[in-house]
Amino acid sequence: MRVIIKNDKDAVADWAANYVAFRIKEFKPTRTKPFVLGLPTGSTPLGMYANLIKLFQAHKISFENVVTFNMDEYIGLEPSHPQSYHYFMQENFFKYIDIKPENIHILDGMTKNYMKECADFEAAMKAVGGVHLFIGGVGEDGHIAFNEPFSSLQSRTRIKTLTQSTIRANSRFFDHDLSKVPTQALTVGIGTIMDAKEVLILATGKNKAKALHHGIEEGVSHVWTVSELQRHPHGIIVCDKEATDELSPETVEYFLDIERNNF
């Protein structure tokens, strides 16, 4: 596992955007050989998306031959709902870049057949050869996507009931009204994410410090699902200094030392 420690959330966003752009350009995607990118929602990746848009506008990156798969979607929200992840991705990223609509994959929270929707999503990933780079955030309780504590580390795309802590955290997007927050979502599984050739987790702020401690310094556990990243051959966490508050000084110094000359 690599741990990239930056001064603040803006530096995290800048590093992540440049890393995504670097990976895409290095791959040299074509129509028949697209680069496959897994994407998150939430407040943490907003800076990364803003920087990727700037790179596109500066003609430094193209998404014409990029295929995307989003991590999750609430059950019961129309794609046009301002808090749906369909809407989030369009308003914060997709409408500003040259990605083809047919290359965008987001789970349908309005489907009548959840099992088929999830199976089809997994099949679509396999059909394009798998995800090259899956990006995610991490919750205060260590969850990635909507894989709450005690989720199977082998889980696949499925329906998931959300914990009260996640509902409370997400209520800030619903006028802080818990009753407006959906209680279930469709989400990729931990196993789905770990199938990607590379996984990049973003973490900013003191409220993510405990999750990073368990994800980096403690053992692999389904209680803190982010900890499964320890077993990925190409896992990266990029975080700000505040998010390292519960890591030991020795751990912080180690990663600062070995990453000092790296990308």
Side-chain angles (χ1 to χ4, degrees):
M1 177 193 293
R2 293 180 64 192
V3 179
I4 313 296
I5 302 170
K6 295 295 178 181
N7 286 332
D8 53 38
K9 66 179 183 180
D10 291 336
V12 168
D14 183 63
W15 190 94
N18 279 289
Y19 191 77
V20 172
F22 169 75
R23 282 296 190 223
I24 293 172
K25 289 189 287 187
E26 178 187 53
F27 188 81
K28 297 181 174 63
T30 64
R31 183 181 61 81
T32 57
K33 191 191 74 171
F35 187 86
V36 185
L37 191 59
L39 296 175
T41 53
S43 56
T44 303
L46 283 173
M48 178 189 72
Y49 289 138
N51 286 340
L52 283 170
I53 291 166
K54 290 177 183 177
L55 290 171
F56 166 72
Q57 292 172 340
H59 307 291
K60 293 181 178 180
I61 186 67
S62 170
F63 296 89
E64 182 179 7
N65 295 312
V66 173
V67 173
T68 64
F69 289 88
N70 262 79
M71 281 188 153
D72 39 35
E73 178 60 288
Y74 288 117
I75 287 178
L77 295 189
E78 296 278 359
S80 59
H81 190 287
Q83 297 307 327
S84 77
Y85 292 155
H86 283 76
Y87 187 91
F88 176 100
M89 292 304 302
Q90 287 295 332
E91 293 301 307
N92 291 293
F93 191 40
F94 291 148
K95 76 178 186 180
Y96 299 104
I97 60 174
D98 61 343
I99 191 167
K100 298 173 183 175
E102 62 268 27
N103 285 347
I104 297 170
H105 299 82
I106 305 178
L107 287 154
D108 180 7
M110 298 300 294
T111 183
K112 301 298 183 183
N113 190 333
Y114 301 128
M115 290 184 66
K116 183 178 186 302
E117 176 67 14
C118 293
D120 288 349
F121 202 71
E122 291 271 345
M125 279 185 266
K126 291 181 181 177
V128 292
V131 176
H132 294 105
L133 174 60
F134 223 132
I135 306 165
V138 59
E140 293 181 30
D141 59 4
H143 73 260
I144 49 178
F146 276 127
N147 295 285
E148 305 282 20
F150 303 102
S151 293
S152 167
L153 299 181
Q154 301 299 315
S155 55
R156 312 304 301 185
T157 304
R158 69 207 187 285
I159 185 172
K160 197 76 176 70
T161 299
L162 308 185
T163 64
Q164 282 302 304
S165 65
T166 296
I167 291 171
R168 282 194 299 272
N170 289 351
S171 68
R172 68 190 187 277
F173 303 118
F174 293 84
D175 303 317
H176 296 280
D177 186 343
L178 296 178
S179 68
K180 293 181 180 179
V181 185
T183 59
Q184 292 183 309
L186 299 179
T187 181
V188 295
I190 295 296
T192 312
I193 297 167
M194 295 301 150
D195 275 353
K197 295 175 178 64
E198 192 170 20
V199 179
L200 172 62
I201 299 296
L202 315 178
T204 58
K206 290 180 182 294
N207 60 327
K208 304 300 175 67
K210 182 174 286 188
L212 252 61
H213 163 67
H214 283 275
I216 296 170
E217 294 184 314
E218 300 293 336
V220 175
S221 168
H222 64 174
V223 180
W224 299 85
T225 54
V226 68
S227 65
E228 180 67 1
L229 193 66
Q230 295 176 28
R231 297 201 288 203
H232 196 283
H234 300 289
I236 305 174
I237 292 175
V238 57
C239 60
D240 62 6
K241 286 184 176 178
E242 286 190 340
T244 68
D245 276 0
E246 295 198 24
L247 296 179
S248 71
E250 293 80 9
T251 296
V252 172
E253 181 57 35
Y254 170 79
F255 284 112
L256 287 173
D257 179 42
I258 65 169
E259 294 290 347
R260 65 187 183 281
N261 295 320
N262 291 338
F263 176 90

